Amino acid sequence: MTATRWRQERTVHADGTELAVWERREDPDVGAMPAPHVVLVHGFEEGWDSWQPLLEHLPRTVRASALSLPWRAGSAHTWPRHGDAATWLSRAFDALDRPPDLVVAHSFGACALLQLLARRPAHPYRDVPAALVAPVWRVGDRSLTPEFFAEARTRFRHTITEGLKVQLHTRGRTVNGELLRIMADKVLERVEPEGFLQFYLELARLPDLPVERITAPLLVVGGLDDTAAPGGDLEVLRRRARDITVHRAPDLGHFCQTQQPAQVAEQITDFLPMLRLPHSAEEMRTA
């Protein structure tokens, strides 16, 4: 399989923060109709290129754009001083040359997308269908207690370390446990406390999020044992959302878009024809 090649299409700056759009070079416009536009939103301390494994399995009949967002790896995480995650996501969508037909978002990015979709008054992206991959969705927690704060910080540190391990493996680097710990400590030294505090504040908003306002079709893909979105909390999301499909599997981890990309891509590919986009279900599945 040929590795996907990318090009940086455009870069914009807002309040001193850079937003960038990367596109898959081979993407077509099929026939007389433009190809469905799939926009990819990375998670906390990830990057636009974290979608590379998934893109190897998505149909070539879709146009793919990956966003580089303020909560990317290496950030100083001062971006919340100029807007919450949903606001920054909306600004990134404004940088696209064409609106998305489907947004695929991971983890913290999925949390930001849900908040954007639930906003009122109506905004240009409110009806965009969304695929939420391992979303951060923990509405059953009592978010403003010292106990939850301590537990959330422990979970945050674990997720950052696991994410670093996944990134190193994807880039072909093998490190032992001690070296991984040292590298993770360096990342956490930069990310905490400001990064964690902003992450925590985003989570604290979720229990009051008016999910019932979301009119767009939703797909949730995740693992049965992913603590970022426990089964009971996802059931709350399923009950409150108007149009939602939930796929959970025991072998999917929190970073399943990187570690189990074929399974995630299969769910997204099957979801695309349900959105009544220009191309048929058969085209989507066989491309």
Side-chain angles (χ1 to χ4, degrees):
M1 183 179 295
T2 303
T4 297
R5 296 181 300 159
W6 296 84
R7 60 173 176 260
Q8 188 171 352
E9 282 297 312
R10 63 198 62 84
T11 301
V12 298
H13 291 85
D15 294 315
T17 298
E18 181 180 283
L19 302 168
V21 179
W22 291 75
E23 293 194 358
R24 187 165 62 174
R25 291 180 61 90
E26 305 89 348
D27 283 352
D29 276 348
V30 180
M33 295 183 177
H37 190 195
V38 176
V39 175
L40 305 163
V41 175
H42 63 75
F44 201 87
E45 278 293 306
E46 297 176 344
W48 65 269
D49 55 349
S50 65
W51 294 106
Q52 175 79 16
L54 181 74
L55 260 292
E56 304 299 337
H57 298 276
L58 281 184
R60 296 291 175 176
T61 50
V62 302
R63 175 186 174 192
S65 298
L67 302 178
S68 180
L69 295 151
W71 49 86
R72 57 185 162 263
S75 171
H77 297 293
T78 58
W79 50 269
R81 300 172 190 176
H82 303 287
D84 63 10
T87 297
W88 281 106
L89 188 55
S90 182
R91 290 170 176 167
F93 288 164
D94 288 342
L96 297 167
D97 65 351
R98 178 182 144 200
D101 294 307
L102 171 68
V103 180
V104 181
H106 177 241
S107 189
F108 180 85
C111 167
L113 181 58
L114 275 174
Q115 294 188 62
L116 179 60
L117 293 174
R119 282 199 166 166
R120 185 178 284 173
H123 53 80
Y125 311 109
R126 188 179 178 199
D127 296 324
V128 176
L132 312 173
V133 180
V136 178
W137 178 258
R138 292 183 61 98
V139 296
D141 292 313
R142 302 184 67 176
S143 304
L144 300 179
T145 65
E147 293 78 14
F148 173 74
F149 187 91
E151 186 213 348
R153 182 171 179 267
T154 298
R155 196 165 56 242
F156 176 82
R157 294 176 65 89
H158 173 75
T159 302
I160 291 293
T161 302
E162 283 299 302
L164 176 62
K165 183 178 179 180
V166 169
Q167 290 175 41
L168 291 170
H169 177 75
T170 302
R171 294 167 184 167
R173 296 176 61 185
T174 302
V175 298
N176 61 37
E178 179 61 18
L179 181 56
L180 176 64
R181 184 191 65 78
I182 293 171
M183 295 175 72
D185 284 346
K186 287 292 185 182
V187 172
L188 288 166
E189 184 179 333
R190 170 179 51 79
V191 174
E192 292 184 321
E194 187 141 15
F196 167 68
L197 289 175
Q198 304 308 331
F199 191 92
Y200 176 83
L201 288 172
E202 294 287 340
L203 290 187
R205 297 187 185 105
L206 292 180
D208 298 322
L209 190 69
V211 175
E212 60 280 357
R213 291 182 185 171
I214 299 176
T215 56
L218 302 177
L219 167 68
V220 176
V221 180
L224 289 172
D225 299 320
D226 187 358
T227 58
D233 289 11
L234 278 181
E235 186 56 35
V236 173
L237 180 61
R238 191 200 298 265
R239 289 197 306 266
R240 292 171 58 190
R242 299 187 188 186
D243 183 357
I244 186 169
T245 301
V246 177
H247 173 81
R248 301 176 72 217
D251 53 343
L252 292 180
H254 186 67
F255 296 94
C256 53
Q257 86 285 11
T258 299
Q259 295 177 302
Q260 297 91 18
Q263 293 183 55
V264 177
E266 181 181 7
Q267 295 302 315
I268 294 171
T269 302
D270 288 344
F271 185 57
L272 278 165
M274 298 169 59
L275 306 179
R276 300 182 181 179
L277 298 177
H279 304 287
S280 70
E282 187 61 25
E283 285 179 309
M284 293 295 179
R285 292 191 178 94
T286 60

